[in-house]
Amino acid sequence: MSWDFFVPVCVGDLVKTGGINQYVVQDVVPPKQLPPYLSKFKAALRSQGPLCILEHFDTGYSVLQHCNSVELGVKEDTLELLVQVVSGLAASLPALLVSTSISAAERKEKLNAVKMSVYLLCKLTETLESDSYRQSIITAPGKGGKKGKAGGEGLLQWDSEREKVLQALVQLLQLDIRSLWNLSLVEEEFISCVTCCCYKLLENPTIGHVKSKPTRDGIIHLLGVLIKKYNHLLGASVKVIQLLQHFEQLSSVFAQAVSVWSTEYGVRAIIGEVIREIGQKSSEELAREGSGVKAFASFLSELGTLVPELMIPNISVLITHLEGESHTMRVAVCEVLGEILVRVLCGDGLDDSGKADRDRFFDTLQEHLHDTHSHVRARVLQVYTRIVNSKALPLCRYSEVMELAVGRLMDKSINVVKSAIQLLAAFIAHNPYSCKLSSADLKKPLEKETAKLREMKEKLEGKAPVAVIKASELWAAMEPELCVTVRTELEPTSDAEKEQQENEEDEDRDVEEAKEEEDDRTTAVKIAQYLRVNKYRNAVRLCIRAHTCFPESEMFASLSTLSPETLMSTLALIFKGSDEDAAELSQNSPPTPQKEGEKEGEDGELKKQEMLVQYLRDTETFALQVERAISVINSMLYWKTTSVVQEAVQFCVTVCEFSVANSVSGVRKMLPLVWSTDAAIKDAVVQAYRRLYLNPQGDTTRMKAQTLVDSLSELMVDASLGTIQCLEEIVQEFFGSSSNLQSTVVQVLWERFTGKRETSGLNRRAAVLLLGMAARAEREVVLSNLDTLCSVALGNKVTEDFLLARDTVITICSITDHVRQSKGAPFRLPQDHQLFTCLTQAIAEGVVMEDPYWQSFMEQAVRLIYFLAESPDQLCSRLLQRSACLLLDQIAEGGEINKDAGQMQDGSQESNEQVNCVCLAQLLALCGCVAFWQVSHLERSVSAELRRRRGETEEREEKEKGPSSKAKQAANESAMEEELGLIGASAEDTEAELIRKICETELLAEENLLCAFLPLLVRVCSSPGRYSHPQLTTAACLALSQYMMISPSVCEENIRLMFTVLERSTLPVVRANAIIALGDLTVRFPNILEPWTQNLYARLSDEVPSVRQTAVTVLTQLVLKDVLKVKGQVSEVAVLLIDPEPHITSLALNFFNELATKDNAIYNLLPDIISRLSDPERGMTSEDFNTIMKQLFSYITKERQTESLVEKLCQRFRTAKTERQWCDLAMSLSLLSMCERGFKRLQECWECYSDKLTEPGVYQPLLSITAKLRRGAKPQFKSQVDDFEKRLTAVHTRGLENVESPEMEEENQPQGGSSEKTVTRTPLPTRGRARTKRGQAKPSVSNRGDDSFVTPQKSRKSKKPVITFSSDEEEDEEDAVMAESETPKVTTPIARTSRRARLRN
């Protein structure tokens, strides 16, 4: 073979004249003639094998050349042939490559066949891929969701063929075909041909789908072979970056590809190359849109998940992006760090380098918990959640990260808050400390163990040896003085000194002679002892003499030449050496095993104790942080964001399961959410309670039931009435479901209630209440056991426990819910039933007792009597009579005893009076309760029974009618319907009138026992000085209010007395009760109470917080239910926004939140609220005023409302009399979210406030408006704002008189015809100004006095309606701006238009 095939850059290059021995296509077959040529190609392939491509290359090339015009079948046949050629080459080449005797011609032949077949296959694959993508766009599903038939078939066929192409290429290229090339250098064009095909396939949008997994894996493995064997590493890394920039969906594909290349193919360098390319991107480039930053971030996150250990060597390149502007990249890097910490740098087996990296990465993550972007903060918290769940967080960092997570609960971003809650829940669920986290329970063990540790340390310190100073330290201290002694000894001395020396030497000699037998070592020890006791002279002399005695000794050998230096060195050697020798001796001496064992044991115990104390400290710190988080998260249970509430509910469940202190508070607090209108929140709460209380653990059904009852009883202890009502909803759902535990739970509850098992009184009460909740789902639970309830709780021992009796009555009441809801005859028990006998006896006996719980029992008992008894009015009448007789008998007995005694002390008389007052109070409370439930019985039960009987009568009459009447009815159908409607309405009116007449005339008739107590009630309430007992006063006032509910006449007669009590009573509880009662009366008799509305609002400023709280609660209900008309008195509620009591503040805030949902309600009230709050007589500080207004103006969101309020507030400048009022109005203007229209109105009202601008309190707020408007304003509007600001500043600095207004001049020119400049001032609102007379020129409204302000009539030239304030009128305004026809013509000191405003219009 004389030619070589060169892979062309372009397809068309092969038909051009090539170089020497270069293959050129000779014959390009026309499209219509291709089928026979393909047949020849197929036959040649069967006969000659894959080498037939050398002869039939032109046929394949012709298909490529005419790919746009050739049929799809031809392309598919060609593709199939080429796949067979490549597969044949892959099968035949291995034997050839192994052979050592291959000729050059044969090698060239095989090489050309490989290049030709691979080239054609890759190019044809690219072509078919483009056609397939184009066809998928054309045949995309339309509205019907149907594809084109041909297109769909073609696509399906290509998806399967594509996999075969990739398999064939992989089989071929994974062989070592490099030996076919000279010097094994594969040409770049051949590699590019294959890689371009792969990257073309990757551009398909569906490549990331599950159905494309085989294709995706084939491409990844093909590229892996090219990277490993064909030097495609750099090209692949560059291509990965390029494709990520343009195809975001490839991030997960390339993450998988890079991980496969680095692990399965061992090309780890690819990760470094790709990450280096990403790391070199500048932050400015990544911040731009379309930079592929999302794809890069997703790629890094997924790659970190797949091969975290290979990311560590390159992490330094990525960390630079943490300082960049792209928050997406910061998130990706933090996620990579998280994966590394979870899967690589975790556990105790890390070396020092690994621990340093781990600490550095944790520090980096902690820094980004305070990132500027909320998304980064949220994702870092999620990373920490994964770390904690994987138990990869070091114990030493628990406290620090926990503190940061609690801080993130205050974040402004909802996502951050949710992530912080999830992290805290993970901390608790995976905490390494304890399954019970309560700081209170941990405090005592910690104190005990700390004291024990202190004792152990003190004990060891007492046994500790005295510290030994090293010989070298002692030598350094004595060296200067010793040196002086040595020099002194070696110097020549006088005769006297010589004699003294000789005497001392004689003494020393005597000593030495006595110890001649000693050796040189003993002498050295002696010298060291002299040195230790500071006998330096003796030591020096003995050292000099020792050289003479022991000349052969190594210790004293240096003294052969006696000098200060040699002597000092010898002494140093002896002193230091002796210390070391002693140490050696001590080491060599056998230790005492007993002492050594004791010492080791004591050290081990001390270490254990220190570890225990540290563990308890860490646990307590962790528990305290959890408790702090609970208090914050509990407040989130009522946020408006559903997802946050759901997370908070889950957190409360988690902390409750770990018995954290105060965790039950959160569980109770979320209970009212079972009434939430949001189904997701309601379901979350129900599931939470089911998980905590209704899915008990236990080996048997009995144990499970007992656990369930215990947990529910614990929840009900000290629970409020509202909590119990909410719990009913959940317990009722449990008993309504088909659970195996129901019967066993009911049995356990009955055992507890009846006392078969010893239990506390609280648990007995909880049991009977739970039975009542079960009865709401299954009535027979209680109805079939009425006798048991009566005998146990309402029998002879009822007076011993009125609380149990009360809860039993509440349980019995639960069966009446079914009765009231049913349409049949009412279920009632006879008067002589055991239940009513027990109840009346208990109530009557309790009247003359001093039991604080009797009244609550009595109220529930009377309610039950009216619900269940036949003729309850007769029963209660006898009850009142019996109770009154018992009280009179007691008083009489007390009087006889006093009379018989003759001499009684004052103290005993006062005690008797005290008892009588309490008993009388209880009797009056009984009267009021009977009166209230008598009215309720008439209006509910009796009225409902009348309607039921009327309905039955009508049905009976209809049945008695014959067929003829039915035919007649059908003929006159419409007329009859109308008539029946009227008859029904008339009948209901008659029944209502009957009930009203009974209440008006019969309930308080002389023969009725209730009437006898009314004068007594009035007398007690109207004589607080005489009847001063608190309980008596409270009961009398409450009973009187209940009597007033009976009829309008009783209400009118006593309304003044009730309001007198409300205002003048010294007892806060009486005032609070009066507010509640008057609220009920307002609903029942609104016309009677309407004139007294101001007195109700006055209680909002009561000095006692409980009264203010009651007042705001009652008024909120009345206003929001449209019982009370909203007027200017709402300013009293606004004042409560700054109340010192947080609960009252939250109630006031809730009032305005609800009021804001009503159309324009707050908008209509704002001008009046501002006027009332800025009134000098109120004396409110400017700070408080600003706080209130800031909250109220936050509800003004409509542009038209803002515009109208600007004008209203500007007009108020005219009527404001003090500088403080000017400042308040200016501050109010600055709080509005001003728009262009509002700013225009502000300019138009210039003259209203221009003369007040010299005041800083007016000028500064208006200046702040211009600063807000300038932000993001258009250039034209910005110039207007700048001009206005200059005008403000000029008037503020120089005064209005010295500033000329060109704008005013231009306005006055067309009207007056004069070009002279005029200066207009806003006249001060002084009362002494002269008024214009009729007949003179039309005056400005501003020239009138304050006492003659009227709403101005419409000017003839005006096109704009006059603005008035709807808050001054009796009707609410429906729109922000009133229509002209709706403008009220009433005198008002507020709405006025100036002369200039009218002229301008």
Side-chain angles (χ1 to χ4, degrees):
M1 183 178 289
S2 59
W3 48 266
D4 291 320
F5 180 82
F6 293 98
V7 178
V9 178
C10 298
V11 176
D13 291 348
L14 283 174
V15 297
K16 299 175 183 177
T17 305
I20 301 171
N21 296 331
Q22 182 176 347
Y23 180 81
V24 178
V25 175
Q26 303 294 328
D27 185 17
V28 179
V29 183
K32 293 182 179 180
Q33 299 177 15
L34 277 172
Y37 279 87
L38 284 175
S39 300
K40 293 178 184 178
F41 188 2
K42 189 180 295 185
L45 178 62
R46 281 198 299 268
S47 60
Q48 301 174 20
L51 291 179
C52 69
I53 191 68
L54 299 172
E55 298 176 5
H56 295 275
F57 177 82
D58 292 1
T59 303
Y61 179 81
S62 301
V63 174
L64 274 182
Q65 193 74 9
H66 303 298
C67 60
N68 293 329
S69 56
V70 79
E71 293 179 0
L72 180 62
V74 173
K75 294 180 189 176
E76 290 176 349
D77 292 343
T78 308
L79 181 73
E80 186 178 353
L81 289 171
L82 291 172
V83 169
Q84 291 177 12
V85 169
V86 173
S87 299
L89 287 170
S92 63
L93 278 176
L96 184 69
L97 295 173
V98 173
S99 173
T100 55
S101 59
I102 181 173
S103 63
E106 192 177 358
R107 182 182 56 76
K108 182 187 288 189
E109 185 181 50
K110 295 290 185 183
L111 178 60
N112 286 334
V114 167
K115 290 203 279 189
M116 283 179 165
S117 58
V118 169
Y119 171 74
L120 286 177
L121 182 59
C122 290
K123 291 301 176 184
L124 186 58
T125 300
E126 290 182 32
T127 303
L128 287 171
E129 177 68 17
S130 300
D131 293 345
S132 173
Y133 179 60
R134 195 180 305 114
Q135 190 69 21
S136 67
I137 295 174
I138 296 171
T139 60
K143 291 183 179 178
K146 295 181 180 179
K147 296 181 180 179
K149 186 176 180 182
E153 291 175 359
L155 288 176
L156 289 172
Q157 191 174 4
W158 171 237
D159 286 343
S160 60
E161 291 296 324
R162 190 165 44 192
E163 297 169 22
K164 296 178 183 177
V165 172
L166 292 168
Q167 288 172 3
L169 289 171
V170 170
Q171 288 173 3
L172 176 64
L173 292 175
Q174 68 185 1
L175 300 174
D176 193 13
I177 60 172
R178 290 175 294 178
S179 58
L180 296 177
W181 278 266
N182 289 326
L183 302 177
S184 297
L185 294 176
V186 183
E187 59 197 273
E188 185 64 32
E189 290 80 8
F190 178 78
I191 304 301
S192 297
C193 177
V194 182
T195 56
C196 286
C197 176
C198 293
Y199 296 131
K200 180 72 175 179
L201 294 176
L202 285 173
E203 292 177 8
N204 191 323
T206 63
I207 195 67
H209 296 178
V210 176
K211 65 178 183 179
S212 301
K213 187 178 185 302
T215 304
R216 190 167 61 243
D217 292 344
I219 296 170
I220 291 172
H221 285 293
L222 181 55
L223 288 172
V225 171
L226 293 170
I227 291 170
K228 184 175 182 179
K229 293 188 175 184
Y230 299 93
N231 200 25
H232 182 56
L233 186 136
L234 290 176
S237 60
V238 172
K239 200 66 182 176
V240 165
I241 299 299
Q242 289 177 353
L243 288 175
L244 281 175
Q245 282 182 314
H246 297 94
F247 301 98
E248 191 175 326
Q249 74 272 12
L250 289 179
S251 56
S252 60
V253 177
F254 275 132
Q256 181 190 351
V258 172
S259 69
V260 168
W261 299 337
S262 60
T263 54
E264 294 184 20
Y265 290 91
V267 189
R268 295 194 172 191
I270 187 72
I271 293 182
E273 291 294 333
V274 174
I275 292 180
R276 194 175 299 110
E277 289 286 341
I278 296 175
Q280 288 173 355
K281 300 277 183 184
S282 65
S283 61
E284 293 80 9
E285 182 182 354
L286 291 173
R288 292 200 309 268
E289 287 187 19
S291 62
V293 64
K294 287 185 180 178
F296 290 147
S298 179
F299 168 77
L300 289 172
S301 298
E302 296 203 30
L303 189 61
T305 306
L306 294 169
V307 282
E309 65 281 355
L310 300 182
M311 299 290 284
I312 297 178
N314 307 289
I315 199 68
S316 58
V317 180
L318 292 178
I319 283 181
T320 56
H321 283 301
L322 289 174
E323 308 300 326
E325 296 179 15
S326 173
H327 70 275
T328 312
M329 285 299 292
R330 296 204 297 275
V331 166
V333 176
C334 289
E335 288 180 343
V336 171
L337 292 177
E339 286 297 329
I340 292 172
L341 290 168
V342 167
R343 296 172 56 188
V344 184
L345 299 178
C346 59
D348 299 328
L350 294 176
D351 56 8
D352 293 340
S353 174
K355 288 179 181 178
D357 287 342
R358 182 190 64 186
D359 293 341
R360 184 161 52 91
F361 293 167
F362 272 120
D363 291 340
T364 303
L365 284 177
Q366 284 180 211
E367 288 173 8
H368 287 275
L369 281 174
H370 298 285
D371 196 279
T372 55
H373 202 284
S374 62
H375 184 54
V376 182
R377 298 196 297 273
R379 293 300 284 272
V380 172
L381 286 166
Q382 291 167 18
V383 167
Y384 265 114
T385 304
R386 173 160 161 66
I387 291 171
V388 172
N389 287 335
S390 304
K391 299 181 180 179
L393 186 67
L395 197 60
C396 59
R397 288 187 176 266
Y398 257 72
S399 179
E400 190 176 359
V401 178
M402 186 80 172
E403 191 72 25
L404 291 170
V406 174
R408 287 300 92 206
L409 291 174
M410 309 297 180
D411 202 284
K412 293 181 179 179
S413 169
I414 293 296
N415 288 329
V416 177
V417 173
K418 284 164 52 182
S419 301
I421 296 174
Q422 292 168 357
L423 175 56
L424 291 170
F427 264 121
I428 295 167
H430 298 90
N431 82 87
Y433 300 110
S434 171
C435 61
K436 303 290 183 184
L437 291 169
S438 173
S439 60
D441 295 342
L442 290 165
K443 193 172 183 180
K444 288 182 179 178
L446 177 60
E447 291 175 353
K448 179 183 175 183
E449 298 301 333
T450 306
K452 186 177 177 182
L453 177 64
R454 197 181 304 114
E455 289 176 6
M456 292 176 71
K457 284 184 176 179
E458 289 172 357
K459 189 176 177 183
L460 283 176
E461 284 172 3
K463 292 183 179 181
V466 180
V468 180
I469 303 173
K470 292 182 180 180
S472 56
E473 296 174 356
L474 285 171
W475 176 259
M478 68 173 70
E479 189 174 9
E481 191 175 349
L482 183 59
C483 191
V484 172
T485 306
V486 167
R487 293 183 185 281
T488 306
E489 285 295 321
L490 294 179
E491 287 177 0
T493 53
S494 60
D495 296 337
E497 289 175 346
K498 280 181 180 179
E499 290 177 5
Q500 187 178 353
Q501 275 184 356
E502 287 173 358
N503 293 335
E504 289 177 356
E505 285 174 0
D506 292 339
E507 292 176 5
D508 292 341
R509 193 176 292 111
D510 295 338
V511 173
E512 291 302 322
E513 286 174 356
K515 298 181 180 180
E516 281 180 356
E517 298 175 358
E518 292 181 357
D519 57 0
D520 59 342
R521 191 173 184 83
T522 307
T523 307
V525 171
K526 184 83 172 175
I527 292 169
Q529 289 174 352
Y530 279 141
L531 291 174
R532 284 186 182 278
V533 295
N534 300 334
K535 292 185 177 181
Y536 301 141
R537 183 175 294 170
N538 293 348
V540 171
R541 289 176 181 175
L542 183 57
C543 186
I544 295 170
R545 196 177 302 113
H547 173 63
T548 309
C549 297
F550 312 105
E552 297 177 358
S553 174
E554 295 179 0
M555 289 185 190
F556 307 105
S558 59
L559 292 178
S560 55
T561 56
L562 194 63
S563 66
E565 289 77 15
T566 56
L567 190 56
M568 285 295 292
S569 63
T570 303
L571 288 170
L573 177 65
I574 291 170
F575 184 77
K576 294 180 184 178
S578 67
D579 191 60
E580 290 169 4
D581 292 341
E584 287 175 6
L585 287 171
S586 66
Q587 286 177 2
N588 295 331
S589 63
T592 308
Q594 186 178 358
K595 290 183 178 180
E596 194 175 272
E598 286 179 5
K599 187 177 180 182
E600 286 181 3
E602 288 174 354
D603 289 347
E605 289 296 323
L606 183 63
K607 277 188 178 180
K608 286 181 182 178
Q609 189 65 23
E610 285 177 344
M611 290 172 66
L612 176 61
V613 170
Q614 187 60 44
Y615 166 78
L616 289 173
R617 278 182 187 152
D618 292 344
T619 309
E620 186 192 35
T621 304
F622 184 79
L624 288 170
Q625 288 173 330
V626 172
E627 288 167 18
R628 181 184 158 207
I630 288 172
S631 63
V632 179
I633 294 174
N634 283 353
S635 64
M636 298 177 184
L637 287 168
Y638 290 89
W639 279 20
K640 293 182 180 178
T641 311
T642 302
S643 55
V644 173
V645 176
Q646 288 175 309
E647 292 295 341
V649 168
Q650 289 302 318
F651 179 82
C652 290
V653 172
T654 303
V655 295
C656 190
E657 288 176 337
F658 280 85
S659 303
V660 181
N662 300 327
S663 59
V664 179
S665 64
V667 175
R668 284 183 176 175
K669 190 172 183 179
M670 73 182 177
L671 192 49
L673 291 173
V674 296
W675 309 109
S676 173
T677 54
D678 192 324
I681 293 176
K682 180 178 179 180
D683 185 60
V685 175
V686 171
Q687 292 301 326
Y689 271 85
R690 188 172 291 162
R691 175 177 161 187
L692 285 174
Y693 299 107
L694 304 180
N695 286 330
Q697 301 297 320
D699 297 332
T700 63
T701 306
R702 176 85 181 177
M703 290 178 65
K704 289 181 180 179
Q706 287 179 341
T707 306
L708 188 149
V709 171
D710 286 338
S711 55
L712 287 176
S713 300
E714 181 188 355
L715 194 65
M716 295 187 67
V717 171
D718 298 331
S720 64
L721 182 60
T723 301
I724 292 174
Q725 287 176 346
C726 297
L727 195 59
E728 280 179 4
E729 184 78 6
I730 293 171
V731 175
Q732 186 177 344
E733 184 180 340
F734 168 74
F735 281 102
S737 62
S738 56
S739 173
N740 299 328
L741 285 175
Q742 288 177 6
S743 58
T744 314
V745 168
V746 171
Q747 184 182 349
V748 171
L749 289 172
W750 280 115
E751 289 176 0
R752 289 200 176 187
F753 170 67
T754 54
K756 285 185 180 179
R757 291 185 174 274
E758 290 187 10
T759 184
S760 64
L762 286 173
N763 285 333
R764 289 185 71 192
R765 286 169 46 204
V768 75
L769 285 174
L770 288 169
L771 285 170
M773 296 176 190
R776 294 184 184 278
E778 183 56 48
R779 177 182 169 189
E780 290 302 318
V781 171
V782 169
L783 193 58
S784 60
N785 293 281
L786 271 181
D787 294 341
T788 306
L789 289 168
C790 292
S791 60
V792 173
L794 303 175
N796 298 329
K797 296 182 179 180
V798 63
T799 54
E800 295 177 7
D801 191 351
F802 277 117
L803 283 177
L804 179 62
R806 179 199 67 187
D807 292 341
T808 303
V809 170
I810 292 173
T811 295
I812 298 173
C813 269
S814 63
I815 67 173
T816 63
D817 292 343
H818 298 279
V819 176
R820 290 198 297 269
Q821 290 169 5
S822 62
K823 295 182 179 179
F827 171 78
R828 290 190 176 268
L829 300 173
Q831 291 186 15
D832 57 353
H833 192 277
Q834 179 191 0
L835 172 65
F836 305 122
T837 305
C838 294
L839 286 178
T840 51
Q841 183 176 352
I843 293 172
E845 290 177 359
V847 167
V848 293
M849 295 174 62
E850 275 192 282
D851 195 304
Y853 305 113
W854 172 86
Q855 185 165 345
S856 61
F857 159 71
M858 176 272 295
E859 291 170 354
Q860 295 296 334
V862 172
R863 173 172 172 257
L864 178 61
I865 289 172
Y866 273 99
F867 277 176
L868 276 182
E870 289 282 357
S871 304
D873 49 345
Q874 298 175 9
L875 199 61
C876 287
S877 178
R878 292 197 295 271
L879 173 61
L880 282 175
Q881 191 172 4
R882 181 178 176 183
S883 302
C885 290
L886 285 173
L887 179 60
L888 290 172
D889 291 344
Q890 186 192 51
I891 294 172
E893 287 175 8
E896 287 176 5
I897 290 170
N898 289 345
K899 209 180 277 184
D900 294 341
Q903 296 177 346
M904 272 302 213
Q905 295 180 356
D906 293 340
S908 62
Q909 289 179 3
E910 288 177 7
S911 174
N912 246 344
E913 289 177 5
Q914 194 89 350
V915 170
N916 291 338
C917 284
V918 171
C919 297
L920 179 59
Q922 293 180 162
L923 178 62
L924 295 181
L926 176 61
C927 294
C929 195
V930 170
F932 176 81
W933 284 110
Q934 182 64 47
V935 175
S936 176
H937 173 68
L938 286 171
E939 295 190 348
R940 291 184 177 180
S941 302
V942 175
S943 179
E945 179 63 11
L946 289 174
R947 284 197 302 275
R948 188 188 68 80
R949 291 180 181 181
R950 174 166 52 81
E952 287 182 352
T953 305
E954 290 174 358
E955 287 179 6
R956 199 181 308 115
E957 289 175 356
E958 285 180 5
K959 289 179 181 178
E960 291 172 357
K961 289 179 182 178
S964 59
S965 62
K966 289 183 180 179
K968 191 182 294 182
Q969 181 181 357
N972 302 313
E973 186 175 353
S974 60
M976 284 295 293
E977 283 181 358
E978 184 177 349
E979 185 180 351
L980 283 171
L982 289 172
I983 289 172
S986 175
E988 288 181 4
D989 289 344
T990 304
E991 291 162 4
E993 182 63 24
L994 174 64
I995 301 296
R996 189 193 65 77
K997 187 176 180 181
I998 292 172
C999 292
E1000 185 73 32
T1001 58
E1002 295 184 17
L1003 285 187
L1004 293 178
E1006 291 183 0
E1007 62 273 9
N1008 198 319
L1009 195 60
L1010 282 175
C1011 177
F1013 292 95
L1014 183 57
L1016 178 59
L1017 289 172
V1018 174
R1019 185 175 178 184
V1020 172
C1021 291
S1022 57
S1023 307
R1026 185 173 181 182
Y1027 303 98
S1028 58
H1029 192 276
Q1031 189 173 341
L1032 178 60
T1033 307
T1034 305
C1037 292
L1038 193 56
L1040 179 60
S1041 67
Q1042 290 169 326
Y1043 266 76
M1044 291 167 67
M1045 297 285 286
I1046 294 175
S1047 67
S1049 58
V1050 179
C1051 183
E1052 285 181 348
E1053 289 171 6
N1054 298 285
I1055 190 68
R1056 187 176 296 277
L1057 172 60
M1058 186 56 67
F1059 273 102
T1060 304
V1061 170
L1062 175 66
E1063 294 179 2
R1064 297 184 182 178
S1065 175
T1066 57
L1067 298 172
V1069 65
V1070 172
R1071 298 203 299 275
N1073 286 346
I1075 292 170
I1076 298 170
L1078 289 167
D1080 294 338
L1081 288 169
T1082 304
V1083 176
R1084 187 164 174 80
F1085 307 120
N1087 294 334
I1088 298 175
L1089 271 292
E1090 198 275 335
W1092 300 90
T1093 304
Q1094 182 64 41
N1095 302 73
L1096 277 177
Y1097 277 103
R1099 288 304 95 205
L1100 291 170
S1101 54
D1102 196 282
E1103 57 194 11
V1104 179
S1106 61
V1107 180
R1108 292 200 303 275
Q1109 179 179 332
T1110 306
V1112 71
T1113 305
V1114 170
L1115 288 169
T1116 298
Q1117 294 298 321
L1118 295 177
V1119 169
L1120 296 180
K1121 291 180 178 177
D1122 295 325
V1123 178
L1124 274 186
K1125 196 165 184 62
V1126 185
K1127 293 187 178 180
Q1129 297 99 329
V1130 178
S1131 60
E1132 300 299 330
V1133 184
V1135 174
L1136 295 181
L1137 289 170
I1138 55 169
D1139 196 274
E1141 296 292 329
H1143 188 58
I1144 297 176
T1145 304
S1146 65
L1147 288 173
L1149 187 61
N1150 179 61
F1151 170 81
F1152 284 107
N1153 288 337
E1154 295 295 331
L1155 190 62
T1157 59
K1158 296 179 178 289
D1159 291 339
N1160 301 321
I1162 293 182
Y1163 158 75
N1164 292 333
L1165 293 167
L1166 265 174
D1168 273 357
I1169 292 176
I1170 293 171
S1171 293
R1172 289 170 184 263
L1173 295 184
S1174 62
D1175 190 345
E1177 295 180 1
R1178 179 175 286 276
M1180 179 176 285
T1181 64
S1182 57
E1183 290 79 9
D1184 290 343
F1185 178 85
N1186 294 346
T1187 304
I1188 295 171
M1189 287 300 110
K1190 191 171 184 180
Q1191 179 62 40
L1192 295 182
F1193 275 111
S1194 67
Y1195 301 113
I1196 305 300
T1197 55
K1198 297 179 182 177
E1199 192 173 329
R1200 294 180 65 190
Q1201 290 181 344
T1202 303
E1203 180 187 0
S1204 184
L1205 273 176
V1206 168
E1207 184 160 0
K1208 288 184 179 185
L1209 294 175
C1210 287
Q1211 295 290 346
R1212 296 249 167 169
F1213 274 103
R1214 297 182 181 280
T1215 58
K1217 300 179 179 63
T1218 64
E1219 296 174 0
R1220 167 65 195 281
Q1221 287 176 312
W1222 301 345
C1223 297
D1224 288 344
L1225 288 169
M1227 181 55 66
S1228 301
L1229 281 171
S1230 69
L1231 292 173
L1232 281 167
S1233 55
M1234 197 75 72
C1235 52
E1236 289 191 27
R1237 289 170 59 180
F1239 175 67
K1240 184 179 179 183
R1241 194 57 59 94
L1242 184 65
Q1243 285 179 304
E1244 291 173 358
C1245 298
W1246 167 261
E1247 61 182 11
C1248 297
Y1249 54 83
S1250 55
D1251 57 342
K1252 321 288 195 300
L1253 286 172
T1254 51
E1255 291 294 329
V1258 177
Y1259 168 69
Q1260 290 297 339
L1262 292 178
L1263 198 64
S1264 69
I1265 294 175
T1266 61
K1268 291 178 187 176
L1269 289 169
R1270 197 180 287 108
R1271 295 175 196 153
K1274 296 178 182 177
Q1276 185 178 358
F1277 180 63
K1278 196 172 182 181
S1279 64
Q1280 295 178 15
V1281 175
D1282 292 339
D1283 293 341
F1284 182 72
E1285 183 177 345
K1286 291 175 184 176
R1287 193 175 175 192
L1288 284 175
T1289 307
V1291 175
H1292 174 66
T1293 53
R1294 288 185 284 164
L1296 185 63
E1297 296 82 357
N1298 301 321
V1299 178
E1300 296 178 345
S1301 174
E1303 183 182 343
M1304 295 178 186
E1305 176 191 352
E1306 291 172 7
E1307 291 171 359
N1308 291 332
Q1309 276 181 3
Q1311 295 175 15
S1314 172
S1315 61
E1316 295 179 2
K1317 294 180 179 179
T1318 59
V1319 177
T1320 309
R1321 304 180 210 167
T1322 303
L1324 294 172
T1326 54
R1327 295 187 176 180
R1329 293 189 65 83
R1331 300 178 186 171
T1332 54
K1333 298 180 181 179
R1334 182 177 292 183
Q1336 292 182 351
K1338 190 174 182 181
S1340 171
V1341 178
S1342 59
N1343 290 334
R1344 298 175 182 164
D1346 289 339
D1347 54 348
S1348 63
F1349 291 154
V1350 294
T1351 303
Q1353 298 297 323
K1354 177 184 172 186
S1355 174
R1356 292 181 181 178
K1357 296 181 181 179
S1358 176
K1359 296 180 181 178
K1360 183 173 59 177
V1362 178
I1363 301 297
T1364 59
F1365 310 118
S1366 60
S1367 55
D1368 296 329
E1369 311 307 313
E1370 291 297 322
E1371 296 180 0
D1372 284 334
E1373 186 173 309
E1374 290 187 0
D1375 198 359
V1377 181
M1378 293 179 63
E1380 181 179 325
S1381 59
E1382 296 174 344
T1383 305
K1385 305 297 189 291
V1386 295
T1387 304
T1388 169
I1390 300 167
R1392 305 183 305 134
T1393 54
S1394 66
R1395 178 173 179 271
R1396 179 169 288 106
R1398 290 200 302 274
L1399 292 175
R1400 187 176 293 131
N1401 291 325

